[in-house]
Amino acid sequence: MASRSVLSAAFFDRPADRVARQLLGMHLVARTHDGLVRLEVNEAEAYLGSHDLACHGSRGMTKRNATMFGPAGCWYVYLCYGMHWMLNIVTGKPGEPAAVLLRGAGKVSGPGRLTKALGIDRSLDGAAATKASGVWFEQSGTTISAGRIQRTPRIGIGYAGEWVEKPLRFLLTPASS
DNA sequence: GCAGTGATCATA
DNA sequence: ATGATCACTGCC
């Protein structure tokens, strides 16, 4: 059924800020050793490409960030501070390094905690976000009103010069009831 | 407020 | 080979 359809590579072949915005409210689904985990995405950051000084790809391709230069819809996973795995989804055209960092979903807040909750590590890096990879997105069917979306500067990128202040972090306010 | 933690990358 | 850095977290 459409409301549970898996997001395809085409969904991610757009500018990272648009993808980050549109991922809010979608479901991040993972097969873990404890079974299927399904979390609503509520925080994401866009890393726009080679011109974005906060983006890993802005300093050229390295072994670590090579996945970012690949096709949209693949996972880019790397280790930060020697302890925390960061989960990103690659966006845009091959050759252009852009991605969206997943920072929060469901009740899990923080990018390192998110990967820990989902059992994600480097072994996912480079895989396409399909059921075959074990981690994917599904459409939630929920319409997100513009009023529930906040934008702020990104976290932890103080080195990025004029890009520090760009409002590329997207947050979904919990629905009130 | 800051220590932990270790892969990664630039420099040499 | 060496040293600085780091898209974070947890405990002080």
Side-chain angles (χ1 to χ4, degrees):
Chain A
M1 58 186 74
S3 66
R4 281 290 170 90
S5 66
V6 176
L7 296 188
S8 68
F11 178 91
F12 301 99
D13 184 13
R14 296 180 289 160
D17 53 342
R18 288 206 57 207
V19 173
R21 155 70 182 81
Q22 301 252 331
L23 279 177
L24 295 179
M26 298 291 185
H27 289 157
L28 175 61
V29 191
R31 258 195 314 275
T32 74
H33 55 283
D34 292 327
L36 213 57
V37 176
R38 176 188 300 273
L39 300 171
E40 181 184 65
V41 177
N42 54 36
E43 183 178 350
E45 285 178 355
Y47 290 84
L48 297 185
S50 54
H51 58 296
D52 175 358
L53 295 181
C55 181
H56 286 167
S58 69
R59 288 169 298 282
M61 182 163 50
T62 66
K63 186 175 180 186
R64 177 180 72 160
N65 68 18
T67 300
M68 283 189 103
F69 291 78
C74 293
W75 296 114
Y76 167 44
V77 181
Y78 70 93
L79 187 65
C80 189
Y81 292 100
M83 285 174 268
H84 310 294
W85 296 104
M86 301 289 109
L87 178 65
N88 303 252
I89 188 76
V90 176
T91 69
K93 300 291 184 209
E96 180 61 20
V100 171
L101 170 67
L102 293 157
R103 295 190 60 91
K107 291 177 298 192
V108 185
S109 179
R113 293 177 184 155
L114 187 60
T115 52
K116 186 178 179 193
L118 298 178
I120 288 168
D121 63 20
R122 131 143 282 149
S123 64
L124 189 65
D125 183 57
T130 63
K131 287 185 179 180
S133 78
V135 189
W136 65 94
F137 290 102
E138 293 181 9
Q139 244 171 17
S140 65
T142 306
T143 302
I144 303 299
S145 64
R148 289 183 60 198
I149 302 207
Q150 292 182 67
R151 299 180 62 160
T152 79
R154 292 169 291 185
I155 304 296
I157 54 147
Y159 55 84
E162 64 192 81
W163 286 84
V164 167
E165 299 301 329
K166 307 268 188 194
L168 294 172
R169 176 178 177 229
F170 296 77
L171 297 118
L172 179 63
T173 304
S176 51
S177 54

